[in-house]
Amino acid sequence: MNEGVRWLTEDEQRVWRKYLAATSMLSEYLERRMQQDAGIPHTYYEVLVSLSEAPECTLRMSELAVRSRFSRSRLSHAVTKLEAKGWVVRTSCPSDKRGAWATLSEQGRAVLEAAAPDHVEAVRKALFDVLDAEQVHRLGEITGAIIDGLAEECEAVEADAGEGAD
Amino acid sequence: MNEGVRWLTEDEQRVWRKYLAATSMLSEYLERRMQQDAGIPHTYYEVLVSLSEAPECTLRMSELAVRSRFSRSRLSHAVTKLEAKGWVVRTSCPSDKRGAWATLSEQGRAVLEAAAPDHVEAVRKALFDVLDAEQVHRLGEITGAIIDGLAEECEAVEADAGEGAD
DNA sequence: ACTATGTTGTTGAGTCTTCAATGATTCGAT
DNA sequence: ATCGAATCATTGAAGACTCAACAACATAGT
């Protein structure tokens, strides 16, 4: 039964383990710094960034979820927290009464701008300072390939979910 | 005050965003598959792998924590869950009465071996199938550089924590 | 107009992680 | 031998995420 399995080669295993170590170390590093600097998870910061880049600093919840790669539920919980801090405001949408808008408040923008320099510094220190230009370019290629591969995979899964029994 | 900040270039931003997307998509993909296949988080699977590679399938909790990149506390909670499932056994350590050993049970090994083929398949599909040999090699370099950089950073932090006021 | 179906967003329960506090033991210096 | 500091592991509470269930509304077909 194991004969069909394409196990990883020695080299692939080494790379995979380094990948796991590097990504978890990096995300824990950013997480810790963001928690200290702004008192929120790194992912919440990315939500604020997404909002700040939208016209009028406003997006529909579902659109914000896509841009932040949050599930609807996760975003709903997150925005509840961010609203409690006064950094985001929810408004109900008149054209589609199911919908809701999320808007970055002035206070939210201030927090974002205050946290940004430290965040960039952290990303630089952990990533771009240790890579040369060639490696940065390659990393772009590699991550692009992963994204494309998984995007296909996701579409396939959604297609399966959509179809009932035939 | 912002003048000292080394902001990211356009290219760096693009790469950074792709990095975030790729790593989160990949980890969510593995997470989902592991949850479906074995009913545990992907990181718990890695804990079992670490144990399976140790002599006698046994490690001190603190050593297991290092190898799985878990905090002591996180590992303690995790092992509690894994013990409840009967996949890991805790034994108190006679030579150091503070310590505890964790051992992979027969049942745990069976679960691990049952989950392994699907897991490898997932890693292949999401990562190695979409990269050529050159890219895999580069990914090894890049992740190695990140690990080395953050290891230094961590040591510096620990050194700070260790020293009191001077 | 009416019903079936799909979409949007929220909620609650359960799970996982972090953080700080704790108990138990070992080590080092006096 | 003893006192203080460091180490090992666990615990409980609080925060964050997932999943399934749900309410409210929109859309399309009849």
Side-chain angles (χ1 to χ4, degrees), chain B residues 103-116:
Chain B
T103 305
L104 186 65
S105 71
E106 277 310 313
Q107 202 183 339
R109 169 171 292 287
V111 169
L112 189 56
E113 283 172 4

Side-chain angles (χ1 to χ4, degrees), chain B residues 36-150:
Chain B
Q36 288 169 355
D37 294 345
I40 51 168
H42 170 235
T43 47
Y44 283 32
Y45 174 85
E46 298 295 336
V47 170
L48 297 182
V49 170
S50 295
L51 272 183
S52 77
E53 288 169 344
E56 315 282 334
C57 289
T58 298
L59 285 173
R60 285 289 293 266
M61 289 294 282
S62 66
E63 179 59 25
L64 180 56
V66 170
R67 296 198 192 182
S68 327
R69 294 180 308 278
F70 270 45
S71 70
R72 290 173 193 286
S73 161
R74 186 183 179 188
L75 181 64
S76 198
H77 287 296
V79 168
T80 299
K81 298 282 179 183
L82 291 172
E83 208 175 11
K85 288 187 176 267
W87 299 352
V88 170
V89 177
R90 258 192 264 237
T91 324
S92 67
C93 172
S95 63
D96 183 343
K97 286 180 189 167
R98 294 168 303 182
W101 280 325
T103 305
L104 186 65
S105 71
E106 277 310 313
Q107 202 183 339
R109 169 171 292 287
V111 169
L112 189 56
E113 283 172 4
D118 281 338
H119 177 60
V120 171
E121 184 60 30
V123 172
R124 246 192 202 301
K125 208 172 221 165
L127 190 63
F128 294 107
D129 279 357
V130 301
L131 301 181
D132 61 33
E134 166 77 6
Q135 289 172 323
V136 171
H137 174 71
R138 292 296 182 157
L139 182 57
E141 270 183 19
I142 291 167
T143 50
I146 295 172
I147 292 167
D148 293 346
L150 284 173

Side-chain angles (χ1 to χ4, degrees), chain A residues 90-102:
Chain A
R90 257 192 265 237
T91 324
S92 67
C93 172
S95 63
D96 183 342
K97 286 179 188 165
R98 294 167 305 181
W101 280 324

Side-chain angles (χ1 to χ4, degrees), chain A residues 54-131:
Chain A
E56 315 281 335
C57 288
T58 298
L59 284 173
R60 284 289 292 267
M61 289 293 283
S62 67
E63 180 58 25
L64 181 54
V66 170
R67 297 199 192 181
S68 326
R69 293 180 309 278
F70 270 45
S71 70
R72 288 173 194 286
S73 162
R74 187 183 178 186
L75 181 64
S76 196
H77 287 295
V79 168
T80 300
K81 299 282 178 182
L82 291 171
E83 207 175 12
K85 289 188 177 266
W87 300 351
V88 170
V89 176
R90 257 192 265 237
T91 324
S92 67
C93 172
S95 63
D96 183 342
K97 286 179 188 165
R98 294 167 305 181
W101 280 324
T103 306
L104 186 65
S105 71
E106 277 310 313
Q107 203 184 338
R109 170 172 292 286
V111 169
L112 189 57
E113 283 172 4
D118 281 338
H119 177 61
V120 172
E121 184 59 31
V123 172
R124 241 187 208 304
K125 208 173 222 164
L127 190 64
F128 294 106
D129 279 357
V130 301
L131 301 180

Side-chain angles (χ1 to χ4, degrees), chain A residues 132-150:
Chain A
D132 61 33
E134 166 77 7
Q135 288 173 323
V136 170
H137 173 72
R138 292 296 182 155
L139 183 56
E141 271 183 20
I142 291 166
T143 50
I146 295 172
I147 292 167
D148 293 346
L150 284 172

